Amino acid sequence: MTNDTSYTVPLLINGKEVTTKTTFSITSPSSHKEIWQSSSASLEDAKNATSAAQAAFPAWAKMKPAAKRDIFMKAADIIDSRKDELADYMKIEMGAADAFSSGFNVPKCADMLRDVAGRLSTVMGHIPTCEAEGTAALIVKEPWGVVLAIAPWNAPYVLGMRSILYPLAAGNTVVFKGSEFCPRTWWAIGNILTEAGLPAGVVNVLFHRPEDAAKVTSALIEDPAIKKINFTGSTAVGRIISSQAGKNLKPVLMELGGKASAIVCADADLQKAATQCALGAFLNSGQICMSSEKVLVHKSIKLQFLEAFKGAVEGIFGGDKPAPITVMPAAIDKNKKLISDAVSKGAKVVHGDHEKEEVHPETKEPSNTRMRPVIVEGVKKEMDLFYTESFGPSVSLIEFETEEEAIEIANDTDYGLSGAVFTENLGRGFRIAKQIETGAVHINSMTVHDEWTLPHGGAKASGFGRFNGNWGIEEFLRTKTITYQE
C-alpha cells in the first residue's frame, strides 16, 4: 500500500461515508512521514451519529438472531479476504509489528465475530414463581438502546470491534468513537460491517482532532440518545468519562490501565518463565494494558532467571532487529524519565540502555518513536517506576523470599487487570492466583491474555464490567420484570 497524502479518511454516519471540511494529518510513527488526512467530527456530526443510531435501533433490536448471525459471519469472511489490506493500515498508522497486526489483531478480529455469531441465540429470560395466587411473571432481557463505544489505538481491530460487537449482539446500536492515531483502521471496521450488510445507522464511526476530544466526547455522553458507555483506555481518561457519565446517570463499562506482576516461584521452569515474561513485558513495545510491568522472582533463582530473561528478550526483540516502535514520542520520554528516576534512587539497569537515542533503520536519522527493551533491577516503593504504569518497553525485576511477600508486592498497586504465576506446583499456583486482586491471573503463561470465551475486565483502578463471551453480551442487556394476573 502506498501513502496518499491527498486522501482523507471519512467518517461513517447513517451508512454513508462523510468527509468533513475540518481535517487533520496522520503521521506514521515508523516512517515519520505524513501518510494521509482524516476527517474530524464536529458537534453536528456527533449529533447526526446519535440520531442515526437512535432511528436504527427499533429495527435492529427486533432483528432475529439468525439474520444478525449471517451479517457477523459474512464480516468475518470479509476480514479474511482483506487481511493484508487491514494489516497494512495498522502497520502504517501504528508502526505495528507483523506478528501483532497480521498474526494477532486481524485474525482474532474475525475469530471474535464468529464466536459472537454463535452466541446470539443464547440470550434468555426467566419465568419465576410469584408469591400471590393467580399472579405470574416474566423476566426478560432487552437492549439498552444506543451505546457509545470508545476504543484506543494500541490493538485497534480487537479492541475496536470488541467495543462495537457485544453491544450489537445484545440488540443495541452503536456510536463508535476511535482514537485519532489510527482513523483508517477504524474506517475499515465500519466499512467491513457495512459491506457485510449491517443496516444503515446501526454502527456510526467517528474520530476527531485531539483538540476537539473534550467537547465531542462530552456532547456524546450527555446526548439523551446514549444509554450506556463502554470505554477502553487509560485510567486517567476513564475517571473523566465515568464521572461525566455518573452526572448523567448513565452506566459504564470501563477497561482501563494496569500494572501487572508476573511472579516467578523458586520451582518455575526458568526458560518458559523467561520467554513468557519477555513477551508479556515487551509485546507491542509494552503498549498493552495487560503488559507485565513487574517481574517478581524468588531470591534463590534470581541470577539464573535474569540471565534467561535477558537471553529471551534479546532473542525475541534484539539482535539485528530494528528497535521496536512506540506510537507516541511521549511514551519514550515517560519511560526514560521513570527509569532515570529509579536509577537516581538506587535501581540498576541490567539490560538495555535508556539513555541511548535510537535511529531510523533506513534513514539512520534519530527516531523519537523507537526504544529497545530495558530491564531495571532493584526497584523500590520510593521510585516512580514502582507504581506508575509505564505503558512502554521497560520492566522492573524485583526479588522476593516468601509467597506472602510476592502477593503483597503484586497487590501494592491501584491497578488490577492481569497477573501471572510461574510454578510447577499447580496447587501453589492456584493458592497465589486466588490472592491476587486482579481480573485475571495466568499460571505458567504471560500476563497478556485475552480470548473470546473468557470474561475480560479489571478490578480496582483497572475498571469494572466484562467483555467477551456471554458475559460481554449480558453487559449490554438490562433486565425487565413483567407481571400479569391470570
Side-chain angles (χ1 to χ4, degrees):
M1 177 189 299
T2 57
N3 302 341
D4 183 0
T5 56
S6 66
Y7 174 76
T8 301
V9 183
L11 311 176
L12 177 66
I13 301 176
N14 201 24
K16 297 180 180 178
E17 294 191 347
V18 176
T19 302
T20 63
K21 292 182 180 178
T22 301
T23 62
F24 60 101
S25 63
I26 305 299
T27 299
S28 172
S30 56
S31 68
H32 298 181
K33 296 178 180 178
E34 184 179 301
I35 45 177
W36 40 68
Q37 301 295 308
S38 174
S39 293
S40 181
S42 63
L43 294 179
E44 183 181 1
D45 294 321
K47 184 62 182 177
N48 289 340
T50 57
S51 298
Q54 189 171 35
F57 171 66
W60 178 253
K62 293 175 183 177
M63 185 180 287
K64 298 300 181 183
K68 293 177 181 175
R69 182 189 64 218
D70 290 345
I71 294 172
F72 293 168
M73 293 296 284
K74 185 174 181 181
D77 292 341
I78 292 169
I79 289 173
D80 289 343
S81 68
R82 295 172 58 181
K83 62 181 185 296
D84 292 339
E85 170 204 349
L86 301 178
D88 280 347
Y89 293 144
M90 189 173 160
K91 292 173 187 175
I92 293 172
E93 290 188 319
M94 284 180 55
D98 186 67
F100 194 61
S101 52
S102 303
F104 176 77
N105 261 263
V106 174
K108 288 299 181 183
C109 186
D111 287 348
M112 188 196 320
L113 281 156
R114 294 186 175 106
D115 180 88
V116 172
R119 298 178 187 273
L120 290 170
S121 59
T122 64
V123 176
M124 296 183 183
H126 185 61
I127 304 176
T129 300
C130 292
E131 182 178 349
E133 192 67 36
T135 299
L138 298 174
I139 310 300
V140 299
K141 302 288 183 68
E142 62 182 18
W144 287 87
V146 181
V147 170
L148 171 60
I150 307 175
W153 51 266
N154 56 321
Y157 288 118
V158 167
L159 301 183
M161 186 64 80
R162 181 182 76 175
S163 73
I164 294 168
L165 185 56
Y166 291 98
L168 289 184
N172 304 277
T173 53
V174 175
V175 175
F176 172 77
K177 192 181 85 71
S179 163
E180 69 275 12
F181 290 111
C182 52
R184 201 160 184 178
T185 306
W186 305 135
W187 165 84
I189 292 176
N191 182 260
I192 287 162
L193 291 170
T194 300
E195 186 180 340
L198 194 73
V202 173
V203 167
N204 304 272
V205 180
L206 305 177
F207 23 83
H208 50 66
R209 300 179 303 174
E211 57 264 40
D212 295 334
K215 68 177 183 181
V216 173
T217 305
S218 294
L220 289 168
I221 293 172
E222 293 171 1
D223 193 304
I226 299 294
K227 304 302 182 187
K228 185 165 182 173
I229 300 148
N230 75 74
F231 171 77
T232 301
S234 71
T235 296
V237 177
R239 291 183 193 277
I240 297 170
I241 290 173
S242 58
S243 176
Q244 290 180 323
K247 290 177 182 178
N248 288 273
L249 292 178
K250 295 182 181 182
V252 294
L253 186 164
M254 292 274 136
E255 205 261 71
L256 308 174
K259 189 73 178 175
S261 289
I263 299 173
V264 184
C265 297
D267 67 339
D269 180 323
L270 290 185
Q271 195 54 55
K272 178 191 293 183
T275 300
Q276 290 295 306
C277 286
L279 291 168
F282 300 119
L283 190 66
N284 198 36
S285 295
Q287 299 171 126
I288 302 173
C289 50
M290 297 172 281
S291 290
S292 302
E293 295 255 340
K294 300 176 184 175
V295 175
L296 315 183
V297 59
H298 194 273
K299 183 177 182 179
S300 66
I301 60 165
K302 189 184 78 170
L303 294 178
Q304 302 98 300
F305 174 79
L306 178 56
E307 289 308 307
F309 189 28
K310 290 192 292 186
V313 172
E314 190 64 20
I316 299 170
F317 302 102
D320 296 330
K321 305 177 187 72
I325 295 171
T326 62
V327 168
M328 295 174 288
I332 292 179
D333 292 340
K334 177 182 181 181
N335 276 262
K336 288 184 175 182
K337 287 178 181 177
L338 288 172
I339 297 166
S340 294
D341 172 76
V343 170
S344 72
K345 295 173 181 177
K348 181 182 179 182
V349 172
V350 292
H351 181 79
D353 182 357
H354 65 291
E355 296 179 338
K356 181 180 178 181
E357 185 177 52
E358 296 293 342
V359 298
H360 191 283
E362 295 175 3
T363 65
K364 305 304 178 183
E365 294 292 322
S367 173
N368 62 355
T369 58
R370 292 176 183 270
M371 181 177 175
R372 295 189 183 277
V374 175
I375 304 171
V376 187
E377 184 185 358
V379 176
K380 306 292 184 182
K381 292 183 180 183
E382 60 269 21
M383 303 170 185
D384 294 340
L385 187 57
F386 189 90
Y387 290 110
T388 303
E389 180 186 21
S390 68
F391 206 69
S394 62
V395 68
S396 302
L397 186 70
I398 302 171
E399 71 174 45
F400 68 90
E401 293 190 49
T402 66
E403 283 183 20
E404 292 75 20
E405 184 184 4
I407 292 164
E408 181 182 352
I409 295 171
N411 286 335
D412 189 9
T413 172
D414 290 337
Y415 299 102
L417 187 59
S418 187
V421 181
F422 294 91
T423 175
E424 293 298 280
N425 184 319
L426 189 57
R428 177 181 292 114
F430 277 118
R431 183 171 63 246
I432 294 173
K434 287 191 290 185
Q435 297 178 75
I436 304 299
E437 299 167 350
T438 187
V441 179
H442 307 287
I443 300 174
N444 291 330
S445 77
M446 63 176 163
T447 56
V448 179
H449 189 119
D450 188 8
E451 59 181 284
W452 318 134
T453 58
L454 303 177
H456 180 72
K460 302 192 290 188
S462 289
F464 35 81
R466 294 294 182 265
F467 284 111
N468 298 351
N470 289 78
W471 300 274
I473 297 174
E474 289 286 337
E475 279 285 344
F476 298 98
L477 291 165
R478 60 187 175 194
T479 303
K480 176 183 283 184
T481 300
I482 303 173
T483 66
Y484 62 94
Q485 296 290 324
E486 295 176 344

